[in-house]
Amino acid sequence: MRATFLCALVLSASLAFAQSRTSKTLDIYVVDVEGGNAVLFVAPSGESVLVDTGNGGDGAVRDAGRIMAAAKNAGVTQIDHLIITHYHNDHIGGLPELASRIPIKEFIDHGANTQPSPVIDPVLARYAEIYAKAKHTIAKPGDKVAVSGLDWRIVSAAGDVIKAPLSGAGAPNPYCSDFKAADVPRTEDDQSVGSYVTFGKFRTAILGDLTLNRQFDLMCPRNRLGTVDLDLMARHGNPNLELLLYPLRPRAVIMNDGTRKGAPPESMKVLFSAPSTPDIWQMHFSLLSGQEYTVPGVFIANLYDEPLAAMPVAPVAAPPPGPQVPPPPQHNGMAYYFKVSAQQDGTFTVTNTRNAFSKTYKPEGKND
Ligand SMILES: [Zn+2]
């Protein structure tokens, strides 16, 4: 972080510089890591939090490069806090490559890995070597991550969720009654470190790949989170439960989907029916949504495998079902991120860096 006293100076000077916003916003960069996750938060003080590091393997150099491009735009020269939501390759795989490019001061995770595999074990061995030289914190629900100017709460970790509602939350959740818990074994997704972040009146949530069963634990019978302005949607735009999305009442949703991952029709139907009618910003045009269930092209940061000049109007064939079979073509070309700038009063602007389309959301209750 930049020195803390700078923050105090900025605040004391805020009246004089009310029009100059650059040092007064919380900036959030949602980076394209091809259906993985990497989201960079930069507080007005310059203190930074990165949530996940993108893919490993063939994608590591590409994804670390894209995260570094966002860091450069933000003027960030170190990561003050890195939250690893869980130990899947699309969330932690890129860590060794990224750590070779930028200093990382604190590593926050959920503790022991629950899904050993030949792919992830070597990454986690490298991870342990890297965090041994820095600060390592195991997050528990209810913990606070100390970030100057932000209130950063951990709301889920290691398969557990907060037991008490956040301040101002705790209303009965009317969407709980229809839920039937899926009888499936727990995976690393269930372990996701979820965060609820407040900056003045602006609120957002980022829950990693928190499963539907754990979403129920978190939101039922009472909504322990309250509402958000922006939902950094869990699970790459795969279905999130109405009992999570609807009471959160987001005015905008950003999903980190891929061309063949996330945003299937059943997920989009839930989003399009959300009572708060959020705008939906998609990292990629998803072949799974196709033309029928996609959003207008201006809200999409990256199109197919190679950028197209315009969205197709002819129907597109969805890829075969199954875990990415056949494997998607590598996309290593130019990629675009979403940048969110949030102000203390709750106003926030989302910008699509592909086309410079941006939209400003006024504080809650002040919409036209
Ligand atoms: Zn994932």
Side-chain angles (χ1 to χ4, degrees):
M1 64 178 286
R2 292 167 211 154
T4 309
F5 71 86
L6 272 181
C7 178
L9 282 180
V10 168
L11 289 177
S12 67
S14 60
L15 283 179
F17 296 100
Q19 300 306 312
S20 108
R21 56 140 293 273
T22 44
S23 60
K24 293 176 62 189
T25 53
L26 163 65
D27 293 334
I28 305 170
Y29 297 79
V30 186
V31 179
D32 177 21
V33 288
E34 301 294 331
N37 188 55
V39 182
L40 177 66
F41 292 72
V42 186
S45 61
E47 193 165 353
S48 59
V49 184
L50 178 66
V51 180
D52 292 331
T53 58
N55 290 279
D58 291 348
V61 168
R62 173 199 67 205
D63 289 358
R66 292 176 180 178
I67 294 166
M68 290 303 294
K72 187 175 177 207
N73 182 280
V76 163
T77 54
Q78 69 177 36
I79 304 298
D80 296 299
H81 316 271
L82 170 63
I83 295 176
I84 296 293
T85 59
H86 62 294
Y87 306 129
H88 280 162
N89 189 51
D90 56 327
H91 294 256
I92 192 179
L95 172 66
E97 178 65 27
L98 184 71
S100 74
R101 300 196 192 188
I102 189 168
I104 302 170
K105 296 301 177 186
E106 183 186 17
F107 296 82
I108 300 168
D109 59 50
H110 68 66
N113 180 28
T114 64
Q115 261 190 298
S117 79
V119 170
I120 211 67
D121 293 351
V123 176
L124 292 180
R126 284 287 295 126
Y127 177 47
E129 289 169 17
I130 292 165
Y131 74 60
K133 301 188 191 104
K135 184 178 176 193
H136 178 223
T137 304
I138 295 176
K140 290 181 208 56
D143 285 356
K144 199 171 168 175
V145 181
V147 185
S148 174
L150 306 184
D151 182 52
W152 192 296
R153 301 282 169 161
I154 302 298
V155 297
S156 68
D160 212 353
V161 298
I162 49 170
K163 295 291 181 281
L166 298 176
S167 171
N173 185 342
Y175 299 98
C176 292
S177 53
D178 291 342
F179 180 71
K180 306 252 181 310
D183 185 16
V184 290
R186 291 192 183 214
T187 68
E188 271 295 306
D189 289 344
D190 292 272
Q191 314 296 317
S192 288
V193 176
S195 298
Y196 185 95
V197 181
T198 305
F199 170 60
K201 292 194 167 107
F202 173 80
R203 300 137 311 153
T204 186
I206 181 165
L207 302 177
D209 288 356
L210 198 67
T211 59
L212 306 187
N213 285 348
R214 302 289 83 74
Q215 291 183 12
F216 175 81
D217 292 349
L218 181 59
M219 296 297 285
C220 291
R222 289 178 180 274
N223 167 7
R224 298 187 189 94
L225 296 185
T227 60
V228 296
D229 300 286
L230 168 69
D231 181 17
L232 295 162
M233 191 180 178
R235 309 182 72 236
H236 310 283
N238 279 309
N240 280 216
L241 291 174
E242 294 172 10
L243 62 81
L244 173 68
L245 274 170
Y246 291 4
L248 282 179
R249 300 196 59 79
R251 282 174 293 149
V253 170
I254 300 180
M255 68 167 68
N256 53 0
D257 62 318
T259 55
R260 293 157 179 77
K261 181 174 177 182
E266 61 267 35
S267 180
M268 301 308 289
K269 286 180 201 171
V270 172
L271 283 167
F272 291 150
S273 305
S276 63
T277 59
D279 283 333
I280 302 158
W281 300 75
Q282 286 186 284
M283 186 58 77
H284 278 275
F285 177 79
S286 172
L287 293 166
L288 304 180
S289 353
Q291 285 298 92
E292 188 175 357
Y293 289 101
T294 191
V295 298
V298 288
F299 290 95
I300 300 176
N302 297 283
L303 304 178
Y304 290 138
D305 306 304
E306 296 303 329
L308 298 179
M311 293 294 287
V313 290
V316 288
Q324 305 204 347
V325 177
Q330 277 283 16
H331 174 208
N332 292 315
M334 181 69 189
Y336 300 94
Y337 52 82
F338 289 117
K339 181 175 179 181
V340 180
S341 282
Q343 300 174 38
Q344 288 268 4
D345 71 356
T347 302
F348 67 104
T349 300
V350 181
T351 301
N352 178 353
T353 60
R354 176 174 64 84
N355 53 12
F357 173 65
S358 74
K359 189 162 170 181
T360 295
Y361 301 84
K362 293 280 170 44
E364 195 167 40
K366 291 193 181 165
N367 286 333
D368 296 335

